[in-house]
Amino acid sequence: MTPISKHYSSLLKLYSETRYLVEVKKLHGLILKTLHYSNTLLFNNLITSYSKSNLPSYAHRVFLQIPCRNLFSWNALLSSSAKSGHLSEMCNIFNSMPERDCISWNSVISGYASHGFPEKAVDTYKLMLREGCSMQNRITFSTMLIISSAMVSFTLGMQVHCQGLKHGLGSHVFVGSPLVGMYSKAGLVYEAWLAFQEVKERNLVLHNTMVMSFLRCGMIEESKRLFSGMRERDSISWTTMITGLTRNGCELEAIGLFNKMRYAGMNMDQYTFGSVLTACGALAVLDQGKQIHAFIIRTHFDDNVFVGSALVDMYSKCKSIKLAESIFKGMKVKNLVTWTAMLVGYGQNECYEEAIRSFLQMQRHRIEPDDFTIGSAISSCANIASLEEGAQLHCRAIVLGLISFITVSNALVTLYGKCGNIEDSHRLFDEMITRDEVSWTALVSGYAQIGKAKETIELFERMMTNSVKPDGVTFIGVLSACSRAAMVEEGYYYFNSMVNDHQIVPVSDHYTCMIDLLSRAGRLKEAEDFIKRMPCRLDAIGWATLLSSCRVHGNIEMAKWAAESLIELDPQNPASYLLLLNMHATNKNWEEVAQIRKAMRDKGVRKEPGCSWIKYNNKVHIFSADDQSHPDSEKIYAELEMLGLKMDKEGYRPNTSSVLHDVSESEKRSMLGHHSEKLAIAFGLIFLPNQFPIRVFKNLRVCIDCHIATKYISKITGREILVRDAVRFHKFNNGLCSCGDFW
């Protein structure tokens, strides 16, 4: 090679990057002008330069200009087509080659693997073996191991490992790292450890891969020992440990390691911050999360969409939804993960309407939801029994082709169950291709909620027959169904089965169900003994349940005990005072009523104003007692007057026990006549078509008289009326209620 040719070759090697494309073209023109002969080596370098600049057509033209092509020329052109994704051209070049070496085979295997055709890469490797090519090298085995891992074909990976051992490459670090990764992905951590130990000169990449392998298999202590023994660590080493500890439930250790990483002066990336913020969210350590947020701002990662999404998630889990909202609104770039984090955060903080609005805003920004996002939005609709929006999301899921995802189907089964549409809930359940314990639990809870105890128990037994493992939520549904039907012995059986057969530790909701079961059946002394035997202290909901039962059964002494215990736990909760007031008013103990009212005034306890609302034409119509502010008030009051006459003929007599004032019966009756739920029901009767059920929501417990009146209204009008109050779901049909008149 002449000195000028050597000079040109050196320049081509220097310019072998995409950013030097103009220089390569200029140099190519200079070569054609100054050299009057074709230099194969020089032209081979030119092909390589165009290949690295991602210009396969230019590389092919240069190839055609070479009169004496050698194997390097063919391999350079083959590599150019493989890297650029021109796979049919790559295949033609490969088949036209007069001879091939290991580089040729590796180029084709890598070309197929890099562009989404791993099966063809495997077929090429098998062809290589069949043709007796024994020139496999570390690149061949490394590439094939990566392909085996990506295809989750661990049998193939083991076969490649054996062939690597035959060629004496099993201990090479270049092969060892993907080998360890492949075995760890298969869950074969022992084999991964053996492969790690076989490598003589282990580098940092191999150590990081082995640490990740231990963490992936939940071997925390082994990963910590290996990490501690590493002579060299980079940011990937630290981030791998932080991520692995977080995923294995060692969030506190992950945060501690992050602080050590900071003090060590290591560079951090979005994955480091994302993992440690996840740990903070899981532990709900707001102060620590804020400190890390401040550090993120100082390191200028606050504009990173991945880190921003993690911050939204962390603040949401720490119950600081306003801070999460502030981060979200301040983000310049938002992706699906960001929107989902905000939507789920609203749901976690019981801001269900905001979650639904967030989903609608996401749609307006043309961000298409995935199954998890739309499932979360449907769950928010379920939690506020918003059937109208939930049904719209159901349609959206069908249009997007997401209905078959189990996350979406489970959310829909829950939605229709919580909205009282148990038939639709069961139909969706039957249509599901695959079901998990969440699917079964959603349907069990749906039947339990509307008081169908027999169907709930039958469904639970079917669940057991299908070998689906129930969880604590499943048993809450079963126990509440038993309580609705006063099935005391069955309730005891399932409670004991939960503890002894399924090793589920009871929580406050299970104990509340049992107290409800016993007291609903009138076995108040047994409920008292059960509370005293409990290994933990009864919570406010449990005491409120007992207090409510005392009201139904008229046991004032036990009611005082329950009320005092409830007041001790939650002194500002008006429920305990009001239930006692109701009991004393029913028994005309007006002195006791006066004392309780004084105690409420002294402690600053105020009764929340009652209101009811109903949706019509995408608008929420809100009513309070004796409300005459609605534009259609005249029609509503006229409807109530007409209903009152019909109800009187049917035998309705107002129950004035819930009027907590010492006034005449006529005044009490007048005070009951225009309660908020009655106004909302009258509105529904006027404006909602006959084929639609009337759905009313109330912020407080439905009073006794409104409950009786609604039963009469459902019988007189033939309409299905669903009332969701602060305690439970009431489904009125033909004069009966799903709660069995006990709430």
Side-chain angles (χ1 to χ4, degrees):
M1 183 181 281
T2 62
I4 187 67
S5 297
K6 288 181 180 178
H7 177 64
Y8 287 150
S9 291
S10 299
L11 286 175
L12 284 170
K13 289 177 182 177
L14 180 66
Y15 294 147
S16 59
E17 290 182 29
T18 308
R19 60 194 174 119
Y20 293 123
L21 179 58
V22 175
E23 286 80 358
V24 171
K25 287 182 177 179
K26 287 179 179 178
L27 190 56
H28 186 185
L30 191 61
I31 289 168
L32 294 175
K33 286 180 182 178
T34 56
L35 293 182
H36 303 293
Y37 60 92
S38 58
N39 184 303
T40 301
L41 181 58
L42 184 61
F43 275 54
N44 286 346
N45 289 336
L46 197 56
I47 292 171
T48 302
S49 294
Y50 278 129
S51 173
K52 289 182 177 178
S53 299
N54 200 25
L55 283 174
S57 58
Y58 281 63
H60 198 265
R61 288 178 201 170
V62 174
F63 175 81
L64 294 174
Q65 294 170 4
I66 304 174
C68 301
R69 301 168 193 141
N70 57 19
L71 182 58
F72 189 96
S73 312
W74 284 96
N75 280 339
L77 183 65
L78 183 68
S79 176
S80 175
S81 297
K83 287 177 180 176
S84 61
H86 293 78
L87 301 184
S88 57
E89 186 181 328
M90 175 194 76
C91 196
N92 291 333
I93 294 167
F94 183 73
N95 291 331
S96 303
M97 291 177 72
E99 60 174 321
R100 302 171 186 143
D101 63 1
C102 191
I103 295 171
S104 317
W105 289 97
N106 287 344
S107 294
V108 177
I109 291 169
S110 297
Y112 280 132
S114 301
H115 294 91
F117 296 95
E119 295 84 2
K120 288 189 176 183
V122 174
D123 291 340
T124 304
Y125 178 71
K126 290 177 180 177
L127 180 63
M128 180 183 186
L129 297 179
R130 280 199 300 272
E131 291 195 1
C133 179
S134 57
M135 295 180 289
Q136 297 100 317
N137 60 13
R138 58 190 180 87
I139 295 173
T140 318
F141 293 120
S142 174
T143 305
M144 287 308 301
L145 287 167
I146 292 169
I147 291 169
S148 304
S149 187
M151 292 176 67
V152 199
S153 179
F154 304 120
T155 303
L156 173 65
M158 291 179 186
Q159 291 171 348
V160 173
H161 184 193
C162 291
Q163 288 165 351
L165 291 173
K166 285 182 182 178
H167 286 75
L169 293 169
S171 61
H172 198 288
V173 67
F174 197 80
V175 177
S177 190
L179 188 61
V180 169
M182 187 272 294
Y183 278 127
S184 69
K185 192 173 181 181
L188 302 170
V189 69
Y190 178 71
E191 286 76 2
W193 178 242
L194 289 179
F196 174 82
Q197 289 182 311
E198 283 177 8
V199 179
K200 294 174 183 176
E201 297 181 7
R202 301 170 196 138
N203 62 10
L204 182 58
V205 174
L206 184 62
H207 274 87
N208 287 344
T209 306
M210 193 63 235
V211 168
M212 187 185 296
S213 302
F214 279 138
L215 290 166
R216 185 178 281 161
C217 297
M219 300 174 71
I220 307 300
E221 294 305 317
E222 290 79 359
S223 66
K224 288 196 286 190
R225 275 198 297 270
L226 185 59
F227 178 79
S228 300
M230 288 168 64
R231 286 176 292 181
E232 180 189 1
R233 300 179 195 137
D234 61 3
S235 60
I236 296 173
S237 316
W238 289 88
T239 300
T240 299
M241 277 300 297
I242 292 166
T243 305
L245 289 168
T246 301
R247 288 178 178 172
N248 283 281
C250 303
E251 293 90 355
L252 199 59
E253 288 186 66
I255 295 169
L257 196 63
F258 171 81
N259 291 328
K260 288 180 181 178
M261 183 180 180
R262 276 179 61 190
Y263 298 139
M266 302 298 300
N267 290 326
M268 299 179 183
D269 60 13
Q270 59 182 6
Y271 302 107
T272 319
F273 290 124
S275 295
V276 74
L277 288 170
T278 301
C280 291
L283 295 174
V285 284
L286 181 59
D287 289 342
Q288 184 73 55
K290 285 181 175 179
Q291 290 172 20
I292 293 169
H293 185 188
F295 183 67
I296 287 167
I297 294 170
R298 289 200 300 274
T299 50
H300 307 293
F301 266 91
D302 49 320
D303 282 337
N304 183 286
V305 67
F306 186 90
V307 176
S309 302
L311 281 167
V312 171
D313 179 66
M314 183 273 293
Y315 280 124
S316 297
K317 287 177 178 171
C318 291
K319 303 300 179 186
S320 296
I321 194 63
K322 291 298 179 185
L323 288 173
E325 202 174 51
S326 174
I327 297 293
F328 177 80
K329 288 178 179 177
M331 290 176 68
K332 295 173 184 175
V333 179
K334 302 182 184 81
N335 60 13
L336 176 61
V337 176
T338 317
W339 283 95
T340 303
M342 191 69 253
L343 191 153
V344 172
Y346 280 132
Q348 289 168 341
N349 288 269
E350 298 182 3
C351 303
Y352 303 120
E353 291 183 1
E354 288 85 347
I356 298 165
R357 278 199 291 270
S358 181
F359 181 84
L360 296 175
Q361 287 175 2
M362 185 181 101
Q363 294 287 85
R364 285 194 284 272
H365 283 79
R366 301 187 183 280
I367 304 288
E368 287 297 333
D370 60 9
D371 61 300
F372 183 72
T373 314
I374 202 163
S376 299
I378 292 168
S379 295
S380 287
C381 293
N383 283 317
I384 55 172
S386 181
L387 184 62
E388 189 174 343
E389 285 87 352
Q392 290 172 3
L393 291 177
H394 185 176
C395 294
R396 188 69 182 141
I398 293 170
V399 170
L400 293 170
L402 299 172
I403 197 69
S404 61
F405 285 88
I406 196 165
T407 47
V408 178
S409 298
N410 286 345
L412 286 169
V413 170
T414 304
L415 167 75
Y416 288 111
K418 284 190 173 181
C419 291
N421 285 24
I422 197 64
E423 296 81 8
D424 287 340
S425 181
H426 205 143
R427 178 179 54 78
L428 281 163
F429 177 83
D430 289 337
E431 289 173 359
M432 291 174 70
I433 299 167
T434 56
R435 306 184 189 103
D436 59 8
E437 64 277 5
V438 177
S439 321
W440 287 90
T441 298
L443 193 59
V444 165
S445 300
Y447 272 112
Q449 184 173 264
I450 62 169
K452 291 185 177 287
K454 181 185 174 185
E455 291 85 346
T456 304
I457 302 300
E458 287 176 354
L459 189 64
F460 178 77
E461 292 302 333
R462 264 183 63 201
M463 181 180 178
M464 295 294 97
T465 306
N466 282 271
S467 301
V468 180
K469 186 175 175 59
D471 61 11
V473 180
T474 320
F475 277 102
I476 289 171
V478 174
L479 292 173
S480 63
C482 291
S483 73
R484 299 285 174 87
M487 298 162 62
V488 177
E489 301 311 317
E490 290 85 348
Y492 270 125
Y493 168 77
Y494 286 114
F495 183 85
N496 292 329
S497 174
M498 176 185 75
V499 176
N500 301 323
D501 300 335
H502 299 278
Q503 286 75 52
I504 296 172
V505 178
V507 296
S508 57
D509 286 342
H510 298 116
Y511 290 119
T512 299
C513 285
M514 289 301 294
I515 292 161
D516 187 45
L517 167 67
L518 294 168
S519 54
R520 184 186 285 261
R523 293 156 74 161
L524 292 174
K525 184 65 175 68
E526 206 169 325
E528 180 186 353
D529 294 339
F530 184 86
I531 292 169
K532 290 177 178 177
R533 290 198 310 270
M534 281 172 54
C536 58
R537 193 179 182 188
L538 189 63
D539 65 5
I541 297 173
W543 286 115
T545 300
L546 180 63
L547 183 54
S548 179
S549 299
C550 292
R551 173 185 63 84
V552 173
H553 294 291
N555 191 326
I556 291 182
E557 289 306 312
M558 191 173 288
K560 287 180 179 178
W561 174 55
E564 287 169 2
S565 301
L566 182 55
I567 290 167
E568 184 183 344
L569 279 175
D570 191 1
Q572 293 302 307
N573 187 343
S576 52
Y577 300 97
L578 294 174
L579 283 167
L580 269 180
L581 274 172
N582 187 287
M583 291 184 70
H584 285 300
T586 301
N587 290 289
K588 297 183 170 36
N589 297 330
W590 300 115
E591 289 185 13
E592 294 283 352
V593 169
Q595 287 178 11
I596 295 169
R597 286 189 188 281
K598 183 178 183 301
M600 289 178 69
R601 283 195 301 272
D602 292 344
K603 294 178 181 179
V605 178
R606 292 177 178 271
K607 178 190 174 184
E608 183 183 356
C611 67
S612 300
W613 60 96
I614 184 170
K615 286 187 178 180
Y616 173 66
N617 276 353
N618 291 322
K619 185 180 177 183
V620 178
H621 299 261
I622 304 173
F623 300 91
S624 57
D626 295 313
D627 190 354
Q628 297 190 20
S629 62
H630 196 277
D632 295 298
S633 281
E634 285 189 21
K635 292 181 183 178
I636 293 168
Y637 277 82
E639 180 73 16
L640 278 179
E641 189 72 28
M642 183 188 69
L643 282 172
L645 295 172
K646 290 181 179 180
M647 288 160 60
D648 287 342
K649 287 181 183 178
E650 287 289 326
Y652 163 70
R653 296 293 178 269
N655 186 316
T656 58
S657 63
S658 57
V659 178
L660 308 180
H661 299 278
D662 187 11
V663 295
S664 67
E665 284 298 309
S666 61
E667 286 180 281
K668 287 182 179 180
R669 181 165 183 163
S670 176
M671 293 169 75
L672 291 171
H674 303 135
H675 273 190
S676 63
E677 53 264 58
K678 289 175 182 172
L679 296 172
I681 290 168
F683 175 90
L685 289 169
I686 296 167
F687 292 101
L688 288 174
N690 288 334
Q691 63 269 30
F692 289 105
I694 297 167
R695 299 176 184 279
V696 173
F697 303 86
K698 184 175 173 66
N699 65 329
L700 303 177
R701 185 191 298 261
V702 170
C703 80
I704 296 172
D705 181 67
C706 283
H707 194 271
I708 295 169
T710 307
K711 289 199 296 181
Y712 274 98
I713 293 169
S714 71
K715 183 178 180 181
I716 291 166
T717 61
R719 299 290 292 271
E720 184 177 88
I721 303 171
L722 299 103
V723 179
R724 178 79 176 265
D725 74 0
V727 178
R728 60 170 48 96
F729 194 97
H730 301 266
K731 187 174 184 178
F732 298 91
N733 208 339
N734 197 29
L736 298 173
C737 180
S738 60
C739 77
D741 298 339
F742 198 113
W743 71 100

